[in-house]
Amino acid sequence: MNRAPRAVLAVVLPVVLFVVVFAALPLAADGLVVKCGKLLDPATKSVKTNVAVAIDGRGIVASPPKDAKTLDLSGFTCLPGLIDAHTHLLLQGDATPAEYDEQVLKESTPYRALRAAAAGRIALEHGFTTVRDLGTEGAGFTDVDLKKAFALDIVPGPRVVTSGPGMGTTGSYPLLGFSWERKMPDGVLKCDGADDCRRAVRHQVQYGVDWIKLYADRSYYRTPDGGFSSIANYTPEEIGAIVDEAHRLRKKVAAHSVTPTGHRAALAAGVDSIEHGNVLDAETVKAMAARKIPYCPTITVADFVKGPRSRTNPIWDQLWAASQDSFRRAHAAGVPIAFGTDAGGFDWDKRNQAEEFSFMVAWGMTPWEAIRSATTVAAELLGPSPDGRLGCLDPGCAADLVAVAGDPLASVKVLEDVKAVVAAGKVVKGAR
Ligand SMILES: [Zn+2]
């Protein structure tokens, strides 16, 4: 090859490569104007009529960009994209320990990732444009990969706030009960001792988690005086080291905690949210209300597991009964309640995580409070995303919007049938 063609190639080849690579990238969302018949603003608890929401790229702006397309939802009620602050994309229902073991032992991580992608699509189509995914259950940092794939629009899915494998201690978390001669996989990242737990937090941060999830307690049981207790998984030094290291690295900590034994350990260490909180005693409620520590009640999963698990251990029925009492007392005391369902603990394709709204209203919330829990309150817990603030529809908010037929303030049941979804400025489901 002589010099002249080589010089031409040197100029042309980078241009061709640039065009090929650029074409393969997802295009930024076009400008969009969404015309809403009604719009619920959870921040101010106000209802507006005939509102146009202007979207530029992935965010909401004050005025429509030039050549914006229109999505006509004038026959529907719009509200901000919903947030589920407690999910497991990489789980597909584990009513019994055997079902959990089967997924972790028999399903490869690539297969589980494919199922998780399907779960993400279901969440999105149900109107959940953001999820905080609290543990991959033996699938390492696959949630970080899912977050990336959804954000780049490789496959449709919600914005994911990640926590990697979650954290436990030796002997505290499945897989358990197998021969000591077998090396079984772990459903969590184990650490023992304060230094080891700091190292484990750093390990999680190294691979890109947004939050640290830890399991504060296990083995729930009744005490002779009729109360509930459990085994605290960590020593105060260990759980203190996890929270301190996480906060030092600017990460928040979510604690699975079912009984007061777990709550005391978790709150003393300074965690940022309590997950499940089935048994919230007076001392816990007082501390959480005073410090405005939110809890995710995960009522839908408690309803899902109580039947199958109570066949071998009646504690699950008892925890269900206690959950309702805890919810009512926490609500009355002003504890922030963030919408979180534990979807994945129940099958993504069999139950709609929006069922949680009806449980919350049945247990004493107003429809506004239930909607705020999945928007305003959950958004405050998660903080802003790179696309903008969450749980709102003002300029500067991420362009996440859902629409329903009917009035969710009259019946939150309509939230189980979302008609349109816009996520990060992209129409993922149009009105039917
Ligand atoms: Zn969970």
Side-chain angles (χ1 to χ4, degrees), residues 86-88 91 134-135 137 173 213 215 256 275-276 298 301 341-343 345:
H86 188 135
T87 66
H88 299 273
L91 260 189
L134 289 181
E137 314 291 352
Y173 199 82
K213 159 78 179 289
Y215 286 80
H256 162 113
E275 306 304 312
H276 314 301
T298 65
V301 83
T341 64
D342 220 352

Side-chain angles (χ1 to χ4, degrees), residues 147-233:
K147 171 185 174 161
K148 195 196 302 180
F150 295 156
L152 292 176
D153 210 19
I154 292 167
V155 288
R159 179 179 293 102
V160 183
V161 175
T162 60
S163 67
M167 295 181 62
T169 54
T170 295
S172 70
Y173 199 82
L175 279 62
L176 296 168
F178 290 87
S179 162
W180 58 268
E181 293 168 295
R182 304 280 163 261
K183 173 80 185 88
M184 304 310 289
D186 286 313
V188 289
L189 179 67
K190 294 185 293 191
C191 69
D192 299 291
D195 286 350
D196 190 37
C197 287
R198 278 189 195 273
R199 181 206 54 77
V201 170
R202 291 174 187 175
H203 179 81
Q204 302 241 39
V205 172
Q206 176 182 354
Y207 292 109
V209 301
D210 301 307
W211 274 67
I212 296 296
K213 159 78 179 289
L214 62 81
Y215 286 80
D217 67 346
R218 71 178 192 273
S219 304
Y220 323 114
Y221 63 92
R222 301 305 299 263
T223 54
D225 64 358
F228 288 83
S229 190
S230 54
I231 297 173
N233 287 331

Side-chain angles (χ1 to χ4, degrees), residues 247-265:
H247 286 172
R248 208 177 63 75
L249 300 177
R250 307 289 180 265
K251 303 294 176 192
K252 289 186 180 177
V253 181
H256 162 113
S257 186
V258 170
T259 84
T261 311
H263 311 328
R264 289 201 219 313

